[in-house]
Amino acid sequence: MSVSVENFVKSVFKLENTPGSDTRTGSIAASLGISSAATTDMAQKLALRDLVNYKKYQPISLTPKGRRMALSLIRKHRLWETFLHKVLELSLSEIHQEAELLEHQTSEFLADKISNFLGNPEFDPHGDPVPDAFGNLAMDYSISLSEALPGKNYTLSRLDSSEADFFDFSSQNALNIGCAVSVIKQYRNSNMTEIMVNNKSILLNSDISKKIYLTTNHNHDE
Amino acid sequence: MSVSVENFVKSVFKLENTPGSDTRTGSIAASLGISSAATTDMAQKLALRDLVNYKKYQPISLTPKGRRMALSLIRKHRLWETFLHKVLELSLSEIHQEAELLEHQTSEFLADKISNFLGNPEFDPHGDPVPDAFGNLAMDYSISLSEALPGKNYTLSRLDSSEADFFDFSSQNALNIGCAVSVIKQYRNSNMTEIMVNNKSILLNSDISKKIYLTTNHNHDE
DNA sequence: TATATATTTTAAGCATACTTAAAATATTGC
DNA sequence: GCAATATTTTAAGTATGCTTAAAATATATA
């Protein structure tokens, strides 16, 4: 399977699972950085290979086979990110681009070896769940900081970005996964969020707060 | 740089450095598993990019730029092989094919991280030297078992193959890097070599003995 | 040295994965 | 409901990296 096909399928999966997004030709084109014409072309070809469902002028969806492919790729991506961060000590801002390339050249056999070496991690260094070999994902109860309730205490569980700038900002402000976050105030009109981290107050705009995810401080098995 | 270009350059490098081989169109084609026509085509294109020297009907050679590219790839390949074997515990017969894919998706930055993690190894698990970041190779004084002198004692230093079968054979017969090998007799007419390993006598044909390299048991710095 | 054989190159064609421009269709606003 | 606008699809064209078949050239042999 070519890199282009794999990235296409992964893009559809991500858009299908992102609230507020759709899987229309233009959206997929934008997310892949290619033209709408190329997207239509690829959708038609992949429909013949039973990877996507395609009907003219309609949103594209993944078949079960396409979904399996996407989850396998996401698994490889997140395993590589975990490996690069924990073993080779690359920073959060460095791991994405390397994993983006390696994921396409990773056999299932090798993915299992990496997973096993890492102790079959459930979450990657960004807090994203790592699918297991069957495509199952750990449950994620996190909520976005932009939706969090003022006055409550949370734990930072996920940094949802693939941009180096975002990770540079978060690490410089000690916004690390696992740290305690108190939400002071939500400025609904200006879309700003004030939080307290390490006894320091930080005011964040929504570009940032949308990408930070939190879990409430209690056990979900209770 | 595309995978095809990288593999072409690597192939020329390997043929240039393999005694008894040449870098004519047909030889490169055979080593890459493509047609002679495709080889000519690629040679012409890469000459324009200053990676190879090409004149009609003449053997192809690498430019300094081409040589640097080849050594960078070989470095990445051998670092991955070392990593896969030592860290993820893949067998000697499994590492080549995985490294063959990963090498093309590895930045210089990542290669340096892997090298550093492994303690900047001078040799990979097959006994092949790992070029350093500047393309320098450790000196290799090994000789082929097919050329070794009867009655002498050697240490097995290199298993020169990329075929899984060969490594299955060698590991099953305890022909491991670092083990002591005594050469009993060279049967020059039939191209057979008799050796003693772990108090066991083994008779090897030249297909095998050519791929096994040995060092004499003394220090080259003396 | 001439000719037969082998090798290399050129030429034409194909698949993949894109592009831009035009045509077709869908959506929005009045 | 219809026109204006936006989106999607089709069509034509490009670069890469191959293929096979033919022509050109080189090499080997008698």
Side-chain angles (χ1 to χ4, degrees), chain A residues 117, chain B residues 80-90 95 117-118 121 123-125:
Chain A
F117 178 77
Chain B
W80 275 120
E81 286 198 339
T82 308
F83 167 79
L84 293 170
H85 185 64
K86 286 207 175 171
V87 181
L88 297 188
E89 297 182 342
L90 271 67
I95 60 182
F117 178 78
L118 295 170
F123 294 93
D124 77 9

Side-chain angles (χ1 to χ4, degrees), chain A residues 182-185 187 192-196 201-204:
Chain A
S182 307
V183 178
I184 308 298
K185 191 166 162 75
Y187 297 89
M192 304 282 281
T193 303
E194 187 182 357
I195 59 173
M196 187 74 100
S201 157
I202 311 178
L203 197 57
L204 300 166

Side-chain angles (χ1 to χ4, degrees), chain A residues 119-139:
Chain A
N120 301 309
E122 289 203 319
F123 294 93
D124 76 9
H126 297 131
D128 294 308
V130 180
D132 69 16
F134 306 103
N136 300 312
L137 289 156
M139 206 53 185

Side-chain angles (χ1 to χ4, degrees), chain A residues 2 4 34-35 37-38 42 57:
Chain A
S2 75
S4 295
I34 61 176
S35 67
M42 187 63 102
Y57 299 103

